[in-house]
Amino acid sequence: MMKGLFKQQGASLDINIITSKEAQAFIETHADVLNSAFEQMKMSATMRDSLEHSTYVFSGLKTFHELNEAFPSLVDEQGNKKPFERFLNDVQKVDKTYNEHYLRAEYNFAHASAMMAAKWEAFAEDGDRYNLQYRTVGDDHVRPEHAALNGTTLPFSDAFWDSYYPPNGWNCRCTVVQVRKTKYPETPREEAYRRGAEALANDTRGMFRFNPGKQGKAMPDYNPYSIRRCNDCDLAKGKTNLAFVPENELCAACRLVRQCEANRYEVKKEYANGGKVQVHQLVNPHDSDYGKLMSVADFFAQHGAEVKLTPKMSRPQKFVYQNIYHSLMGTKFEGKCPDLLIDGKWYEHEGFTSDNPKRAFRNMLTHGLKQSNRIIIDRPDLTDRYMIRSIYGHIKTGKDIEEIWVRDTNGNITSLYKKNGRPTNGQPPQVTNR
């Protein structure tokens, strides 16, 4: 990342560096470290995704602070740019501070938050059937202020847990358990809140007054790398389309980080020939056609293509749509959501079934061409000759068709039509275009 920072020009840090491949690789790596803290914990997929979202944003803001702190070291006392080796040596202290000392405490906090978030999910299934009770580990290392909270017992639905649910500080080991109402009396609310206020009296910034389970966050919005305003920001709450004017550089960086997060893909498969299958985080793996799309993507990736699965979107937020489908902006397909991006070209998969294969083929062409002029269809019981003749019939009526591919029941995909000459041997597009 420091190599990326060394390329910076000007007297101030350009916050757009957050979107650079060097910074993004660093953010991903840092977020992966935090995510590994709860990799083995049992929780819903929705909760896990939410926690991982928060660790990415947290890592992005932390990265912005690291870059900001390292930036002045680019020049020497005379204002001249240092040689890279000297610059790298001078910023080692930044690395040690942020990525050794701070990261250890952040990892522990992410672990504690995720554990308590998973417990909250389980508590939610029973609701107020049981009360919740605050407990410390009971050893000599328990902080006196946290010890004062030990045994505090209130219903699941009490707002007390919004502010005093663990973890209540760095390296906090406290927990909460369900207890029978008949066995443990409720703590008077006034007393419970007094204990809570005393326990977090040293948290003058109010960073730890959050509930990771209710908020679905491993890290609170207000943390060492953000500002108090973040607690009330609609951006942090996911209630805005990001079309706002940042109040300061940190807000602008936060906006960029969240835009980058919205455009993330997870690598599912990689091949030695460079082929790769990536799935956007908004793709629903429970969609009925997900398996087929993964099969299509894997076929092309095996032949060296870089394939991305993209989500179906109904009335998407503009910034999210632009991040994913930016190359469609200004074209006749703007606003559409094709299924696959294969080596930079958009493809739509159609798998319409019918007792009438001719009707199935006609419908697949009609529906597919609304999303893209490159279509991959599930082969109907028709001859290639019939289908090619039908394609040319559509072209004569003015339909724009670049490529048509057919997928058989075994998952093999062959080329049926290509505008600039039919590919040979049924090879994937990136091979025949070379």
Side-chain angles (χ1 to χ4, degrees):
M1 184 170 70
M2 290 302 104
K3 287 183 179 179
L5 180 60
F6 191 73
K7 300 173 187 175
Q8 287 276 294
Q9 303 293 327
S12 60
L13 178 69
D14 179 3
I15 62 171
N16 288 293
I17 191 176
I18 286 292
T19 66
S20 70
K21 63 180 181 180
E22 296 91 349
Q24 283 298 304
F26 184 88
I27 294 170
E28 291 280 0
T29 302
H30 189 281
D32 285 346
V33 171
L34 298 181
N35 294 341
S36 70
F38 51 88
E39 188 175 16
Q40 302 302 320
M41 292 182 190
K42 292 184 179 180
M43 63 184 74
S44 70
T46 300
M47 179 62 78
R48 189 176 300 279
D49 288 345
S50 185
L51 296 178
E52 291 181 354
H53 170 83
S54 76
T55 59
Y56 179 91
V57 173
F58 177 85
S59 299
L61 294 180
K62 179 178 177 179
T63 298
F64 171 71
H65 279 265
E66 288 188 60
L67 289 165
N68 225 9
E69 193 164 325
F71 182 76
S73 296
L74 282 170
V75 297
D76 59 22
E77 296 77 6
Q78 287 74 42
N80 300 315
K81 194 165 188 177
K82 298 175 183 175
F84 177 72
E85 290 73 17
R86 181 184 170 189
F87 163 68
L88 186 61
N89 182 68
D90 291 347
V91 294
Q92 291 306 306
K93 185 171 70 172
V94 174
D95 180 44
K96 191 173 185 65
T97 299
Y98 282 88
N99 303 311
E100 288 187 34
H101 304 319
Y102 293 171
L103 183 54
R104 187 180 301 279
E106 291 158 1
Y107 176 92
N108 291 340
F109 190 86
H111 175 83
S113 285
M115 180 174 64
M116 297 310 301
K119 294 190 74 169
W120 187 263
E121 272 198 315
F123 297 158
E125 293 180 5
D126 294 319
D128 282 339
R129 181 181 175 187
Y130 297 97
N131 282 339
L132 301 185
Q133 186 176 88
Y134 193 104
R135 291 184 181 178
T136 67
V137 295
D139 61 20
D140 294 338
H141 299 290
V142 174
R143 284 164 255 196
E145 56 270 28
H146 289 195
L149 272 173
N150 189 54
T152 302
T153 306
L154 288 168
F156 167 83
S157 60
D158 197 289
F160 173 86
W161 303 114
D162 292 354
S163 298
Y164 305 113
Y165 189 76
N168 284 316
W170 300 114
N171 298 313
C172 174
R173 299 171 297 153
C174 298
T175 189
V176 168
V177 298
Q178 286 180 314
V179 295
R180 293 196 303 273
K181 294 185 176 182
T182 56
K183 185 173 182 179
Y184 295 93
E186 285 187 21
T187 304
R189 294 187 79 248
E190 185 176 335
E191 180 184 344
Y193 279 84
R194 178 185 58 76
R195 292 181 187 178
E198 291 177 358
L200 293 181
N202 293 328
D203 179 26
T204 55
R205 300 179 68 190
M207 289 193 306
F208 300 111
R209 301 193 183 203
F210 89 118
N211 182 317
K214 292 188 73 172
Q215 296 183 19
K217 295 178 179 179
M219 296 295 188
D221 294 324
Y222 183 28
N223 56 64
Y225 309 114
S226 62
I227 54 179
R228 192 181 299 275
R229 171 74 175 84
C230 297
N231 273 332
D232 303 313
C233 179
D234 285 340
L235 187 63
K237 296 176 182 178
K239 295 182 179 180
T240 178
N241 63 0
L242 300 187
F244 73 103
V245 179
E247 297 177 3
N248 49 51
E249 278 195 342
L250 181 64
C251 290
C254 180
R255 179 176 183 269
L256 286 176
V257 167
R258 292 174 186 276
Q259 284 179 325
C260 291
E261 203 278 338
N263 200 29
R264 294 170 74 199
Y265 287 84
E266 179 182 355
V267 177
K268 294 292 187 180
K269 291 186 179 181
E270 289 187 88
Y271 293 95
N273 61 4
K276 183 186 299 184
V277 176
Q278 301 179 71
V279 179
H280 194 276
Q281 63 169 344
L282 294 180
V283 170
N284 184 357
H286 303 295
D287 282 343
S288 59
D289 61 348
Y290 179 78
K292 283 187 179 181
L293 289 174
M294 283 296 291
S295 175
V296 171
D298 188 48
F299 177 86
F300 286 115
Q302 288 183 41
H303 288 81
E306 182 174 318
V307 188
K308 294 181 177 180
L309 263 67
T310 49
K312 298 176 176 65
M313 308 178 78
S314 176
R315 296 183 180 179
Q317 293 177 327
K318 186 176 181 180
F319 86 94
V320 176
Y321 180 86
Q322 289 177 334
N323 278 338
I324 303 170
Y325 300 100
H326 56 88
S327 61
L328 294 179
M329 303 304 293
T331 74
K332 65 180 179 181
F333 293 110
E334 180 176 338
K336 304 299 183 182
C337 301
D339 294 315
L340 302 146
L341 184 65
I342 304 177
D343 280 346
K345 295 178 180 178
W346 291 104
Y347 290 76
E348 174 72 5
H349 169 262
E350 290 290 336
F352 187 84
T353 58
S354 169
D355 293 335
N356 186 327
K358 292 182 179 180
R359 180 191 305 155
F361 181 72
R362 184 171 59 252
N363 286 339
M364 286 189 285
L365 280 184
T366 301
H367 295 162
L369 290 173
K370 293 179 180 179
Q371 298 293 326
S372 176
N373 54 14
R374 294 180 173 84
I375 308 172
I376 302 165
I377 65 172
D378 287 349
R379 177 181 283 278
D381 187 18
L382 297 169
T383 65
D384 286 3
R385 184 176 180 181
Y386 175 86
M387 291 187 287
I388 292 171
R389 187 168 66 246
S390 179
I391 290 169
Y392 277 103
H394 279 75
I395 292 172
K396 286 181 180 179
T397 63
K399 296 291 178 62
D400 173 26
I401 303 178
E402 284 287 339
E403 298 174 19
I404 304 292
W405 296 75
V406 289
R407 174 183 178 274
D408 64 27
T409 54
N410 295 320
N412 296 314
I413 300 174
T414 55
S415 174
L416 186 66
Y417 167 83
K418 188 174 183 182
K419 187 175 183 178
N420 295 321
R422 182 178 175 181
T424 58
N425 301 323
Q427 293 298 305
Q430 82 289 348
V431 174
T432 56
N433 286 346
R434 288 175 180 164

